[in-house]
Amino acid sequence: MNLTQLELNNLSVAKDVGKAFGLLAGIASDLLPTPVILLIGSVEGLIGYGTQWLVVSERIRPLPYWQMCIFLCLGGNSTTWMNTAVLVTCIRNFRRNRGPVSGILKGYVGLSTAIFTDVCNALFSNDPSSFLLMLALVPFAVCLNAIFFLREVPPSATASEEKEESRYFTIFNTVAVVISIYLLGYEFVPSPSRVFSLAFAVILLVLLASPLAVPVYAFIRTWSSQKNESGLDVEGQIDEPLLKQEETQQQEGEVVAVAPQTTEEVPVLQEKKRRPVIGEEHTIFEAILTVDFWLLFLSFLCGVGTGLAVMNNMGQIGLALGYVDVSMFVSLTSIWGFFGRIISGTVSEYFIKKSGTPRPLCNAASQILMTVGYILMALALPGSLYIGSIVVGICYGVRLAVTVPTASELFGLKYYGLLYNILILNLPLGSFLFSGLLAGFLYDAEATPTPGGGNTCVGAHCYRLVFIIMAIACVIGFGLDVLLSIRTKDIYRKIHSSRRGRSRKSASPSNGQ
């Protein structure tokens, strides 16, 4: 399209600005039903990416530059509507498995770039216009189907139902890991043939669709159970609806992430009307007025902001350190970012159920590990970029997967859609601060002008100061996460006690009868 590099970079900024407008999706998610949120996102994506496809495929004349910025902004913003609809609904539906839910959903987001790119390469020989057409049509078609199935349902009411959910999430995790390894293996195949590429795409699509077997199995199991119970006496048929009604009333009156029913609960609920405490439902204004929110927000900025700086500049970092082919580092960051999301979501949930360990401690551990990664890359030792790209990928994934359920546990689920999108503002903000300003300014300061214009820098000194400053930022983030863990330890102790109490009640003989 005869654009300069600066103009291309500004188009990327327009896409990130679209994500910053995710606040609109957050506000709408608390006011509109889930199908409407999905429909808005899918139509917006169809228009944004569809117009880009028309331009790149030369079916229409190239649009003025400012109009292209608008359509890239629409494309970037469309994902916020889809992500908000899916994430908020699933967190509310599976509130006792928030870690695995967040890990799986964020994990697939991390894999989505590789999935779309590899499928396009396999089916369309990596044609840019075909890639844009896929981005326009595939999410639109998937969302149209999801409109009929994605909705809020009552969460699990017993320990047995919670265990059944956990087994299903184990299956989802296993399938996701298989897909990630399958994608990574394809990256190492040199010059695959057309037949091999088609076979790869077909198998990948089957793997992506395989988790649908879980809800089908659950439906058949429920249907068979209801059919077997149809022969119960009249008294049994009357008692069952009453039991369900009692369970529903308990769920509707449940305060997110609070202790089991105690005599102190009534005063707490009365106090909530005046000023909620951490662990109860907060409005957005009540949440942002707390110290805990800003501890979470700023520590999130330290983690994802520095991680984005590495990912956005990975190509330039590799070239500066003397690597000709930097695609391997990009793949390592992406794949290990997926493992960081999947593992941290499940592990943080396990330790909450086992000992009431505050979830922010997982973020604190990731900050320390990320600090070590930046120091290694600053030293520029042999192989340090391989280790650094893996470490940054893992820790970036941990931050995304752990922060999402943490916010819901501290501030509730009623206004979670908007709260989530406020936290996600750290992505464009962190990209601007650490990637655009810090890395860009310091690289230019170390670079030397080239005869054809522009500048270039080769050597470990190009990004050494950038890595040192980002390591310091991660140390600050570590301190913030530790402080947040100390301030919220009572909340997670109550969550732990509540789940243990539920397990004992479910295991008692009277409950079994």
Side-chain angles (χ1 to χ4, degrees), residues 126-252:
N126 207 23
D127 175 54
S129 63
S130 298
F131 183 77
L132 287 171
L133 185 60
M134 287 177 59
L135 294 183
L137 295 181
V138 174
F140 179 75
V142 171
C143 286
L144 287 185
N145 284 277
I147 283 174
F148 299 100
F149 299 100
L150 184 65
R151 58 176 57 86
E152 290 188 28
V153 296
S156 59
T158 64
S160 61
E161 291 179 354
E162 183 180 341
K163 290 181 179 179
E164 186 177 17
E165 280 184 7
S166 298
R167 288 195 295 269
Y168 291 153
F169 286 126
T170 300
I171 296 174
F172 292 146
N173 277 330
T174 302
V175 173
V177 170
V178 171
I179 291 175
S180 66
I181 296 175
Y182 184 67
L183 289 169
L184 186 60
Y186 182 73
E187 297 291 340
F188 289 96
V189 177
S191 303
S193 64
R194 178 67 174 171
V195 174
F196 183 88
S197 297
L198 289 174
F200 161 81
V202 171
I203 296 174
L204 177 59
L205 294 176
V206 171
L207 287 174
L208 289 171
S210 61
L212 290 174
V214 171
V216 172
Y217 167 79
F219 172 78
I220 295 175
R221 181 178 176 181
T222 303
W223 178 79
S224 300
S225 177
Q226 292 176 347
K227 185 178 180 180
N228 293 334
E229 293 174 356
S230 61
L232 293 176
D233 55 24
V234 176
E235 181 180 358
Q237 295 179 10
I238 294 176
D239 289 343
E240 183 68 19
L242 289 176
L243 178 60
K244 293 295 183 183
Q245 182 179 1
E246 292 175 358
E247 292 176 355
T248 302
Q249 291 173 349
Q250 291 176 359
Q251 294 161 6
E252 291 176 349

Side-chain angles (χ1 to χ4, degrees), residues 250-268:
Q250 291 176 359
Q251 294 161 6
E252 291 176 349
E254 179 184 21
V255 178
V256 177
V258 296
Q261 304 291 333
T262 65
T263 55
E264 298 178 355
E265 184 173 354
V266 174
V268 170

Side-chain angles (χ1 to χ4, degrees), residues 388-463:
S389 59
I390 292 174
V391 168
V392 170
I394 292 175
C395 297
Y396 181 81
V398 170
R399 292 293 331 193
L400 288 176
V402 172
T403 302
V404 168
T406 300
S408 69
E409 289 158 348
L410 300 186
F411 306 109
L413 291 168
K414 187 175 182 180
Y415 301 100
Y416 181 62
L418 181 55
L419 182 65
Y420 163 74
N421 280 282
I422 291 176
L423 289 173
I424 292 301
L425 285 176
N426 277 299
L427 297 181
L429 179 60
S431 177
F432 172 74
L433 292 177
F434 290 99
S435 180
L437 289 184
L438 179 66
F441 176 78
L442 293 181
Y443 178 88
D444 287 340
E446 296 289 342
T448 56
T450 57
N455 53 37
T456 186
C457 183
V458 177
H461 64 283
C462 299
Y463 283 95

